[in-house]
Amino acid sequence: MAEEEDDPGFDEDLDDGSNGVDSGQGKRKRLFSKELRCMMYGFGDDQNPYTESVDILEDLVIEFITEMTHKAMSIGRQGRVQVEDIVFLIRKDPRKFARVKDLLTMNEELKKARKAFDEANYGS
Amino acid sequence: SSAEDAAAAAGDEEEGSSSLHPPPAKKLKVEHDKKKEKRQKVDEDEIQKMQVLVSSFSEEQLNRYEMYRRAAFPKAAIKRLIQSITGSSVSQNVVIAMSGIAKVFAGEIVEEALDVCEKWGDTPPLQPKHMREAVRRLKSREQIPNSKHKKILFH
């Protein structure tokens, strides 16, 4: 059955970001293993997620970003990815839409605060 | 009719004031300010509720919550990934936005996978079969973008 997939195997100890085991998408070098482990735990998984599951999630995330990027390139200014494009593409997904709005707003506020701080210290 | 005008002017601020309408711009601004006030009140309530919740967390829950808030994709890697596809540079805001929604995406998968795991009578750690089933379910609900195949609308 699917029993063989359940065994994490010996890969856990070898996970230093360059796991060469083919987990479905070819032998791509692992980009986010460390961060994804923390993320999965944060989202509710065990404190020590299975490497194979982390790899699957990484492949999914990369696929997601790739698709979004291609779509963004095909709208608005062709061949470029702009924030407006991303906002447009996820407009119907309430969670993601709200998140992007929040992040961009926070970033603007941070920039203003930093600028005000700099001017207070070095201005006039 | 000048008494009417005075009365209407006095009721200017109220919504749905009848005979003499206030200038549209002012009416819009009043509505906007009321909505903004309400939104801020709702935000403040949310923040307070979260504080009450977090203050009741066990140590394990606090650990998990901290990871939940802090875990993030490395910006440099995301930037490199996007730029390798576009062939040109992207702004910081694009990287911020993309990292953000990628995290939401990851969360949706893990949530669904945990649901599957529970329904199948298993326990964490999540196994590949849970992840794959989660993807299947999200795709059937169209929560995962897939431009590779066309949906057949009419047979």
Side-chain angles (χ1 to χ4, degrees), chain B residues 61-130:
Chain B
Q61 286 172 320
L62 276 172
N63 282 340
R64 194 188 293 276
Y65 184 63
E66 183 177 349
M67 276 304 118
Y68 166 73
R69 293 287 298 255
R70 286 195 166 181
F73 295 112
K75 297 245 180 324
I78 300 286
K79 188 167 193 181
R80 246 179 284 128
L81 175 58
I82 300 175
Q83 289 184 171
S84 75
I85 300 169
T86 67
S88 58
S89 68
V90 290
S91 73
Q92 191 197 46
N93 273 355
V94 167
V95 179
I96 289 173
M98 196 68 90
S99 305
I101 58 179
K103 183 175 175 181
V104 174
F105 174 75
E108 287 168 347
I109 307 238
V110 175
E111 257 184 41
E112 191 70 23
L114 285 167
D115 208 52
V116 172
C117 179
E118 192 184 30
K119 284 207 167 90
W120 288 359
D122 299 324
T123 61
L126 290 171
Q127 299 164 40
K129 63 181 181 180
H130 302 138

Side-chain angles (χ1 to χ4, degrees), chain A residues 89-104:
Chain A
L89 288 171
I90 54 163
R91 68 198 183 284
K92 292 190 184 154
D93 186 328
R95 252 182 186 166
K96 298 193 184 83
F97 183 77
R99 185 60 181 154
V100 176
K101 288 274 166 174
D102 270 352
L103 286 170
L104 295 176

Side-chain angles (χ1 to χ4, degrees), chain A residues 5-6 35 38 41-45 50 53 56 60 63 67 69-71 73 81 83 95-96 100 103 107, chain B residues 60 63-64 67 72 74 85-86 93-94 96 100-101 103 105 107-108 111 114 125-128 132 135 147:
Chain A
E5 299 176 69
D6 303 347
E35 293 84 1
C38 297
Y41 171 55
F43 287 134
D45 197 2
Y50 287 140
S53 303
I56 288 176
L60 289 166
E63 195 182 313
E67 279 234 20
T69 303
H70 278 128
K71 283 187 180 155
M73 282 177 15
V81 178
V83 202
R95 252 182 186 166
K96 298 193 184 83
V100 176
L103 286 170
N107 193 40
Chain B
E60 210 248 310
N63 282 340
R64 194 188 293 276
M67 276 304 118
I85 300 169
T86 67
N93 273 355
V94 167
I96 289 173
I101 58 179
K103 183 175 175 181
F105 174 75
E108 287 168 347
E111 257 184 41
L114 285 167
L126 290 171
Q127 299 164 40
R132 285 191 245 276
V135 172
S147 53

